[in-house]
Amino acid sequence: MSRMPRREFLKHSAMYAVCVSVIPPLSYGETDKELVVDPCKTTADILGPVYRAHAPFRSDVIPPGVNLPILNVSGTIVGKDCRTPLAGAIIEIWHADEKGDYDNDSPAYNYRARWKVDQTGIYAFRTNFPGRYLNGDTYRPRHIHLRVSGKGHRELISQLYFKDDPYIETDPWASRPEAMQRILTLSQVKTDEYSVVFDVHLTA
Ligand SMILES: [Fe+2]
């Protein structure tokens, strides 16, 4: 695995700013500043600089020989009517390892995977917890990157976060109001095994 040099990361951080600026603004309520979140639309987040195409199709993302707490990530991909599973949709995830490093070049594509859903729309990945890495002077919270596409729908690029992560507040992206729907509560399944459920709503 290789770690992105700081200079390279900062260069890509500037690219982040460009990405963020093209995300459409969210609407606010008339009477107060309460954010109106559309439950039928999963909000977007930045792609980040370490996306790799051609990740393998697999449900078990844990590299061979790794014995760390398990994180199950599952949900249903739903289409623009907000309820019908979107058969044939593809969901892709990638995240850092426990040290905060991404696999940017190995043929193993560690902690990178795709899944094509059937008519149930259900996806399920079995992985480990992402580590944190520095972004400037502060750590990015633990996060999983997502890319989801389905026929007749707009591609979604986003990220998942975890409740009570102390670095959410200082993160430029996790702290945005539209990220709230993607800050997930962990359920403990058994010793050293946890799960989160996240349904993805694509739009036209
Ligand atoms: Fe990341």
Side-chain angles (χ1 to χ4, degrees):
M1 289 191 202
S2 69
R3 191 179 175 93
M4 175 170 290
R6 179 180 164 81
R7 192 177 56 185
E8 191 69 3
F9 184 86
L10 292 175
K11 187 178 86 179
H12 285 293
S13 293
M15 291 166 63
Y16 281 178
V18 175
C19 295
V20 167
S21 68
V22 300
I23 295 172
L26 291 164
S27 56
Y28 287 81
E30 297 246 329
T31 54
D32 53 36
K33 289 292 178 190
E34 189 180 338
L35 183 69
V36 178
V37 175
D38 182 350
C40 294
K41 179 184 179 184
T42 300
T43 54
D45 207 322
I46 53 170
L47 175 69
V50 294
Y51 173 74
R52 279 178 77 186
H54 313 301
F57 284 90
R58 57 187 172 190
S59 178
D60 194 341
V61 193
I62 299 176
V66 172
N67 186 21
L68 290 168
I70 294 165
L71 174 62
N72 298 298
V73 183
S74 66
T76 305
I77 301 174
V78 174
K80 55 194 171 191
D81 69 355
C82 199
R83 59 186 178 84
T84 307
L86 190 53
I90 292 176
I91 180 168
E92 181 164 11
I93 64 164
W94 64 103
H95 66 81
D97 67 11
E98 78 281 4
K99 294 176 185 163
D101 294 331
Y102 284 92
D103 179 357
N104 293 321
D105 45 25
S106 95
Y109 279 80
N110 288 316
Y111 297 120
R112 297 174 183 270
R114 286 184 288 174
W115 188 257
K116 185 175 185 175
V117 302
D118 62 16
Q119 51 272 53
T120 66
I122 294 172
Y123 72 91
F125 293 108
R126 181 177 179 270
T127 188
N128 300 123
F129 283 89
R132 301 186 182 96
Y133 55 87
L134 270 175
N135 173 38
D137 295 331
T138 186
Y139 283 93
R140 291 220 64 208
R142 298 183 196 278
H143 60 278
I144 294 177
H145 293 267
L146 286 183
R147 186 170 197 164
V148 189
S149 58
K151 194 175 177 189
H153 289 70
R154 188 175 299 189
E155 181 184 66
L156 172 74
I157 292 168
S158 197
Q159 297 184 31
L160 303 181
Y161 304 100
F162 304 97
K163 199 178 171 201
D164 298 328
D165 191 312
Y167 294 98
I168 285 177
E169 215 172 285
T170 51
D171 186 70
W173 303 286
S175 63
R176 299 178 83 206
E178 65 266 39
M180 281 180 64
Q181 65 165 222
R182 293 179 276 106
I183 299 174
L184 310 181
T185 301
L186 288 165
S187 299
Q188 186 160 15
V189 180
K190 52 187 170 184
T191 304
D192 284 340
E193 184 165 351
Y194 299 81
S195 67
V196 287
V197 175
F198 185 72
D199 295 336
V200 178
H201 291 261
L202 294 187
T203 56

